[in-house]
């Protein structure tokens, strides 16, 4: 066997993106100096959990971590997919952290993927499972992903600090490759849909959030409907909390989303002590804040919101060797990082052209032509 040549990288930033691109491009990577100078050096628990998840959905994937966790060798395997898989995501990050890489990998598996994920379904850090269900999955259909078998079911909710949520994700395989797109028409917002949830608190919290959100949105358009999802008993997870996800649908079929969740764990990382943290953010404020975030995303323009920029660029880069053209609002730091990593791993460069008349940015690229070869391996 020949010697494996590793792409050498440093630091803990963009670990999830690096692992995903390494797997898609079959490039072994060696990452050094992972939080080498931090109080708690090395990989964090959710990063180790992500590596375990990659091992679960792949065959012949090789992970090597040194004793301090500051050095990682990752040799990707073949994405197998499979049914009835189960993974516990833990409670240091929400399920949303794991969903984005999992969705992209699932498309290029040997078999369709069905996996049950346990952990936190809604928090204030990662996109909620509702956002994935109502904005991310519809976006995949534009790239030629078959709608049959593309599904996300929320069995139970879980908020920080103790989680207890449960979802089932089904991803079909792409038969050959994705489809290159030209997607620059944002359209006008024609309706807003949303879902509010509450776990282990009064259902009145949801009604107050919805009332506050509608108070702003109904001044702008009449077609606003926000569903309620009050969970009780085992379906309510292990911690009290509530939250809301809003999605604006435009006349050209774009889905712009914003979400948030409030629980007793929120704010602990910011150095607040427990006394300050006993009271949750009032539901009226939550409803108004998330509405203004959504309106800010719509105002920025673009065919996706800022949290979906990275995924949009990645899907364009994985398309056949044909031109894809998309429009986004202001480029966010994560989107820029994704563009850099796509260049390094896939050799795909984007042409970036600002559009001063709308304050948006148009990006064009020729895809790397990634084909689903795993499917043909018997």
């Amino acid at each position: 066997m020949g010697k494996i040549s590793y792409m050498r990288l440093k630091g803990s930033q963009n670990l999830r993106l690096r692992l995903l691109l390494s797997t898609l491009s079959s490039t072994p990577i060696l990452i050094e100096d992972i939080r080498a100078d931090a109080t708690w050096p090395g990989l964090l628990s959710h990063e180790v959990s992500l590596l375990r998840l990659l091992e679960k959905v792949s065959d012949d994937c090789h992970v090597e971590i040194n004793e301090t966790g500051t050095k990682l060798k990752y040799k990707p395997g073949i994405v197998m997919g499979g049914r009835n898989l189960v993974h516990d995501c833990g409670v240091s990050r929400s399920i949303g952290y794991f969903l984005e890489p999992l969705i992209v990998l699932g498309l290029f598996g040997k078999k369709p993927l069905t996996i049950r994920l346990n952990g936190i379904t809604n928090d204030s850090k990662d996109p909620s499972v509702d956002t994935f269900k109502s904005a991310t999955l519809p976006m995949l259909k534009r790239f030629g992903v078959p709608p049959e078998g593309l599904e996300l079911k929320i069995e139970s909710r879980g908020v920080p600090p103790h989680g207890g949520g449960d979802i089932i994700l089904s991803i079909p395989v792409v038969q050959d490759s994705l489809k290159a797109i030209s997607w620059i028409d944002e359209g006008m917002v024609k309706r807003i849909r949303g879902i509010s949830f509450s776990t282990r608190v009064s259902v009145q919290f949801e009604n107050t959030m919805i009332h506050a959100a509608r108070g702003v949105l109904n001044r702008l358009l009449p077609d606003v409907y926000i569903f309620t999802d009050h969970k009780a008993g085992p379906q309510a997870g292990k911690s009290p909390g509530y939250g809301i996800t809003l999605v604006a649908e435009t006349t050209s079929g774009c889905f712009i989303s914003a979400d948030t969740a409030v629980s007793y764990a929120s704010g602990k990382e910011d150095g607040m002590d427990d006394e300050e943290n006993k009271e949750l953010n009032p539901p009226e404020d939550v409803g108004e804040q998330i509405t203004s975030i959504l309106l800010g995303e719509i105002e920025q323009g673009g065919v996706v919101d800022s949290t979906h920029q990275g995924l949009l660029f990645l899907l364009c880069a994985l398309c056949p060797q044909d031109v894809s053209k998309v429009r986004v609002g202001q480029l966010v730091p994560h989107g820029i990082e994704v563009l850099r990593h796509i260049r390094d791993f896939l050799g795909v460069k984007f042409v970036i052209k600002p559009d001063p008349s709308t304050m948006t940015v148009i990006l064009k690229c020729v895809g790397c032509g990634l084909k689903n070869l795993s499917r043909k391996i018997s």
Side-chain angles (χ1 to χ4, degrees):
M1 240 181 93
K3 196 168 180 283
I4 299 171
S5 67
Y6 288 90
M7 180 191 273
R8 300 178 82 91
L9 301 161
K10 278 193 175 195
S12 61
Q13 63 277 24
N14 303 303
L15 181 80
R16 185 174 58 151
L17 177 62
R18 288 166 168 183
L19 290 170
L20 172 58
L21 283 164
S22 159
T23 311
L24 290 169
S25 62
S26 304
T27 308
I29 54 174
L30 167 64
I31 306 177
E32 295 173 298
D33 296 339
I34 301 171
R35 298 188 186 86
D37 302 328
T39 319
W40 300 102
L43 293 165
L44 300 175
S45 56
H46 55 270
E47 293 166 340
V48 175
S49 181
L50 177 62
L51 286 162
R52 298 288 163 260
L53 178 58
L54 292 173
E55 286 180 320
K56 239 169 233 177
V57 298
S58 309
D59 195 14
D60 201 24
C61 157
H62 185 69
V63 175
E64 212 178 292
I65 304 167
N66 71 348
E67 276 180 34
T68 53
T70 54
K71 188 172 169 183
L72 164 70
K73 269 186 178 179
Y74 175 73
K75 180 179 152 290
I78 295 163
V79 182
M80 299 303 284
R83 303 215 173 279
N84 307 320
L85 299 175
V86 179
H87 184 71
D88 184 356
C89 298
V91 290
S92 65
R93 284 295 282 266
S94 80
I95 291 172
Y97 173 83
F98 300 85
L99 277 177
E100 191 175 301
L102 194 56
I103 284 171
V104 180
L105 285 180
L107 298 173
F108 294 94
K110 189 175 176 186
K111 299 187 194 114
L113 174 70
T114 303
I115 186 165
R116 179 184 287 273
L117 300 170
N118 321 114
I120 292 167
T121 56
N122 304 76
D123 72 356
S124 53
K125 197 184 279 182
D126 295 299
S128 71
V129 291
D130 304 283
T131 293
F132 278 96
K133 185 174 181 173
S134 48
T136 314
L137 297 189
M139 178 173 136
L140 293 178
K141 293 174 191 168
R142 281 197 173 256
F143 287 89
V145 174
E148 304 80 35
L150 187 64
E151 193 183 15
L152 192 154
K153 266 194 221 151
I154 302 163
E155 303 267 297
S156 58
R157 298 263 176 193
V159 295
H162 302 303
D166 209 3
I167 69 149
I168 297 172
L169 173 73
S170 302
I171 298 288
V173 294
V174 174
Q175 291 308 314
D176 185 29
S177 62
L178 295 170
K179 194 174 79 187
I181 59 164
S182 176
W183 191 17
I184 50 172
D185 178 17
E186 307 137 304
M188 303 291 284
V189 175
K190 62 176 179 179
R191 61 169 163 246
I192 290 177
R193 293 290 176 263
I195 186 157
S196 70
F197 78 91
S198 57
T199 62
R200 307 198 175 278
V201 294
S202 160
V203 71
Q204 193 51 43
F205 281 69
E206 290 187 61
N207 299 332
T208 312
M209 272 188 304
I210 291 171
H211 185 71
R214 289 188 65 120
V216 179
L217 294 171
N218 278 136
R219 287 185 236 152
L220 306 169
L221 79 167
D223 193 354
V224 177
Y225 194 86
I226 304 170
F227 299 86
T228 57
D229 184 23
H230 179 67
K231 296 287 191 199
Q235 288 188 311
K238 299 173 183 170
S239 300
Y242 51 88
I244 185 166
T245 299
L246 296 175
V247 179
E249 190 183 341
T250 73
T251 48
S252 62
C254 304
F255 294 87
I256 309 294
S257 66
D259 67 68
T260 190
V262 179
S263 69
Y264 283 104
S266 304
K268 285 227 174 125
E269 303 84 1
D270 307 339
M272 292 169 73
D273 61 27
D274 284 350
E275 287 310 305
E276 286 181 82
N277 207 32
K278 282 282 184 275
E279 281 303 308
L280 296 182
N281 212 1
E284 302 94 317
D285 294 1
V286 175
E288 284 171 8
Q289 280 164 9
I290 200 60
T291 308
S292 77
I293 290 169
L294 180 72
L295 294 175
E297 290 284 1
I298 294 167
E299 187 187 8
Q300 281 221 343
V303 294
V304 294
D305 52 70
S306 51
T307 50
H308 282 88
Q309 274 187 23
L311 181 60
L312 177 68
F313 300 156
L314 182 57
L315 291 170
C316 288
L318 296 173
C319 280
Q321 289 170 335
D322 198 354
V323 178
S324 283
K325 187 174 173 186
V326 290
R327 183 194 298 275
V328 296
Q330 193 179 351
L331 279 171
V332 294
H334 176 66
I336 294 164
E337 283 301 323
V338 172
L339 292 173
R340 285 183 183 141
H341 279 75
I342 286 171
R343 179 196 63 201
D344 295 347
F345 278 90
L346 303 173
V348 172
K349 290 182 182 174
F350 281 75
V351 176
I352 302 170
K353 192 175 168 206
D355 180 354
S357 60
T358 57
M359 303 297 283
T360 56
V361 183
I362 291 174
L363 294 96
K364 282 194 278 194
C365 79
V366 175
C368 71
L370 186 73
K371 291 195 180 310
N372 188 357
L373 298 174
S374 327
R375 210 174 54 86
K376 299 182 175 68
I377 299 167
S378 52

